[in-house]
Amino acid sequence: MYRVLQILTDAEVAECRRIAASAPFVDGRISNPHNKAKQNEQLHEPAAYQKSSDLLRKAMLRSPEFMEFAFPIAMAPPMMTRYKPGMKYGAHADAAFIQLPGATIRSDLSCTIFLNDPADYDGGDLHVSLGDGELSFKLKPGEAIIYPSDTFHQVMPVTRGERLVAITFIQSRIPDPFRRTLLFELNEVAALEGLKMDPENYARMQLVQQKLLRYWGDMP
């Protein structure tokens, strides 16, 4: 029910880091003053935020694997956040609904895109609780982890260096995570093996795919 994807090119990572280095960040609680678990900074300057957000969003939407795994219908503008020594984000679940200018989206999936080398900082691992399992992620620059928004997760304290990431939230066309994962796996099998099948059976598989998408799809 989670996926690690390569989202950004090296050039896009470099551009995000350049924007971050030249723009002001503010206390991350500016967007949620009552969140005591949140101890980080977020990009605040409007022009820099818009530029980086557009870059990150376009990169995500051009990724076939992201589109096939998330079935996105809406996405919050990706925002760069950073953690300096001593900063962390305590265990929490993301809000069910995210208020955006002119719209509200349901957060089915959360996404963290890593922007600097894991060797540049100590700590700062993203811990996600999935069932009885505890998963830890500290990915390479340009890689993203996508996971259900209704899971407990936390960012461990940074003890050296600086952790730079971008975060966003996605409303999926398939809100149920079990159904979404099942349809993703079925689509993967069809893409990898479909042309080796008897044409009639392949057509039948495609019919099943589309029926499930119609039946489980939240909205067009």
Side-chain angles (χ1 to χ4, degrees):
M1 295 184 184
Y2 72 92
R3 198 78 174 175
V4 173
L5 306 176
Q6 181 68 44
I7 294 293
L8 301 177
T9 65
D10 290 345
E12 289 168 334
V13 170
E15 178 63 10
C16 286
R17 295 178 67 171
R18 186 197 66 76
I19 293 171
S22 60
F25 282 65
V26 297
D27 188 330
R29 283 175 292 187
I30 190 173
S31 56
N32 189 350
H34 304 294
N35 188 345
K36 296 181 179 180
K38 190 176 187 180
Q39 299 175 29
N40 64 8
E41 297 178 337
Q42 64 189 46
L43 185 63
H44 184 63
E45 200 277 318
Y49 177 30
Q50 185 68 53
K51 185 174 183 179
S52 60
S53 180
D54 288 346
L55 183 157
L56 291 159
R57 185 176 185 277
K58 289 176 182 177
M60 294 180 73
L61 294 179
R62 73 160 184 255
S63 166
E65 196 170 8
F66 168 72
M67 299 297 290
E68 292 161 6
F69 179 76
F71 297 91
I73 196 166
M75 185 192 313
M79 174 182 290
M80 285 199 286
T81 67
R82 70 183 180 192
Y83 294 74
K84 294 180 177 179
M87 292 183 176
K88 62 180 182 177
Y89 203 143
H92 65 286
D94 293 321
F97 295 94
I98 307 294
Q99 182 65 52
L100 303 176
T104 300
I105 70 168
R106 184 186 63 235
S107 61
D108 297 317
L109 293 163
S110 299
C111 176
T112 299
I113 305 173
F114 289 76
L115 296 173
N116 60 339
D117 195 294
D120 291 344
Y121 59 99
D122 293 332
D125 304 64
L126 173 65
H127 282 205
V128 181
S129 300
L130 289 175
D132 295 331
E134 290 289 335
L135 305 177
S136 180
F137 301 95
K138 191 173 180 181
L139 304 179
K140 298 176 183 177
E143 290 184 334
I145 171 66
I146 304 171
Y147 56 95
S149 298
D150 61 356
T151 56
F152 265 122
H153 54 282
Q154 61 182 313
V155 177
M156 305 307 291
V158 171
T159 59
R160 177 190 65 85
E162 179 180 291
R163 176 188 192 259
L164 182 66
V165 300
I167 60 168
T168 188
F169 308 96
I170 300 125
Q171 179 172 333
S172 177
R173 195 179 304 278
I174 312 294
D176 182 87
F178 176 79
R179 292 175 175 178
R180 185 169 58 247
T181 302
L182 192 63
L183 191 52
F184 169 71
E185 294 292 345
L186 180 60
N187 292 346
E188 283 279 276
V189 171
L192 294 172
E193 302 295 333
L195 296 181
K196 302 176 185 177
M197 297 172 61
D198 176 85
E200 183 177 347
N201 288 335
Y202 181 40
R204 292 173 64 188
M205 176 180 282
Q206 290 179 308
L207 178 62
V208 171
Q209 291 172 268
Q210 297 307 313
K211 281 187 174 182
L212 290 177
L213 188 57
R214 287 189 182 93
Y215 183 69
W216 289 342
D218 193 41
M219 56 194 300

